[in-house]
């Protein structure tokens, strides 16, 4: 991948159900993973909802096969950090694909950190038929990310600021 290369992010729900899609640009890689940029004006859509962002953000695609995608947003967003628990993201050329597994770790503007959508996860594990190993993976990933965000360990310590600043210069 090369800097500024267009990237398409395609998220689905279990069972190949469409979910969020958006365009980003490749920013680079560091010890935490690959960084994608989503400037103000990025168009996000999923069935039944769409919006054009009034905030900039960067997305971290972990290099170690971790089961999540982490977004770090500027001061205009409602959340500083928003981490989706997913299947390990995979590259399909310039398309990034992952299955969203409902659970989200969110660091809000006031500094509080929450685990969100546990009810949706409980519902979907039955209605979508999540296999036991997927349930375990999502729960383990959520617990690890929640602890890391609360403790402010890298990359949840301001590491993303360098990448985010490249979008707002």
């Amino acid at each position: 991948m090369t800097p500024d290369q267009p990237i398409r992010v395609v998220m689905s729900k279990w069972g190949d159900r469409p979910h969020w899609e958006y365009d980003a640009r490749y920013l680079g890689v560091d010890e935490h993973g690959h960084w994608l940029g989503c400037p103000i004006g990025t168009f996000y859509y999923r069935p039944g909802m769409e919006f054009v962002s009034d905030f900039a953000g960067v997305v971290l695609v972990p290099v170690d096969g971790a089961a999540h995608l982490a977004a770090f947003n500027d001061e205009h967003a409602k959340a500083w950090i928003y981490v989706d628990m997913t299947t390990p993201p995979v590259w399909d050329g310039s398309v990034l694909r992952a299955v969203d597994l409902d659970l989200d770790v969110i660091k809000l503007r006031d500094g509080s950190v929450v685990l969100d959508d546990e009810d949706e996860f409980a519902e979907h594990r039955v209605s979508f038929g999540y296999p036991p190993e997927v349930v375990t993976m999502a729960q383990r990933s959520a617990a690890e990310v929640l602890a890391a965000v609360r403790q402010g360990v890298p990359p949840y310590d301001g590491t993303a600021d360098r990448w985010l600043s490249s979008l707002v210069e």
Side-chain angles (χ1 to χ4, degrees):
M1 309 251 183
T2 58
D4 289 325
Q5 178 179 342
I7 302 294
R8 182 75 177 160
V9 179
V10 178
M11 302 285 288
S12 61
K13 288 288 190 174
W14 195 259
D16 205 26
R17 294 168 175 87
H19 196 46
W20 287 110
E21 293 191 28
Y22 55 94
D23 292 318
R25 64 182 171 101
Y26 188 80
L27 299 176
V29 64
D30 66 12
E31 66 273 19
H32 304 292
H34 298 274
W35 292 88
L36 310 179
C38 301
I40 291 173
T42 298
F43 177 66
Y44 296 83
Y45 74 91
R46 71 173 189 199
M49 182 182 232
E50 61 184 48
F51 70 95
V52 174
S53 71
D54 59 357
F55 61 89
V58 293
V59 175
L60 173 60
V61 183
V63 290
D64 60 1
H68 64 269
L69 285 173
F72 302 84
N73 302 311
D74 73 9
E75 68 276 4
H76 302 292
K78 293 179 183 176
W80 283 111
I81 300 172
Y82 196 106
V83 186
D84 287 298
M85 299 316 115
T86 66
T87 56
V90 296
W91 291 100
D92 179 9
S94 62
V95 177
L96 179 69
R97 299 181 187 280
V99 177
D100 182 293
L101 297 172
D102 311 312
L103 297 172
D104 305 304
V105 173
I106 304 168
K107 183 172 184 178
L108 300 169
R109 309 276 315 150
D110 66 5
S112 62
V113 179
V114 297
L115 177 61
D116 196 29
D117 291 335
E118 291 177 281
D119 55 340
E120 184 180 342
F121 179 73
E123 177 186 324
H124 286 170
R125 71 187 283 189
V126 174
S127 64
F128 291 175
Y130 294 166
E133 63 274 12
V134 169
V135 171
T136 300
M137 176 186 65
Q139 291 171 327
R140 181 177 53 248
S141 183
E144 290 170 359
V145 170
L146 184 63
V149 172
R150 282 185 172 150
Q151 295 168 14
V153 299
Y156 307 106
D157 63 343
T159 296
D161 293 350
R162 167 175 92 98
W163 300 101
L164 190 55
S165 69
S166 71
L167 295 179
V168 293
E169 294 175 339

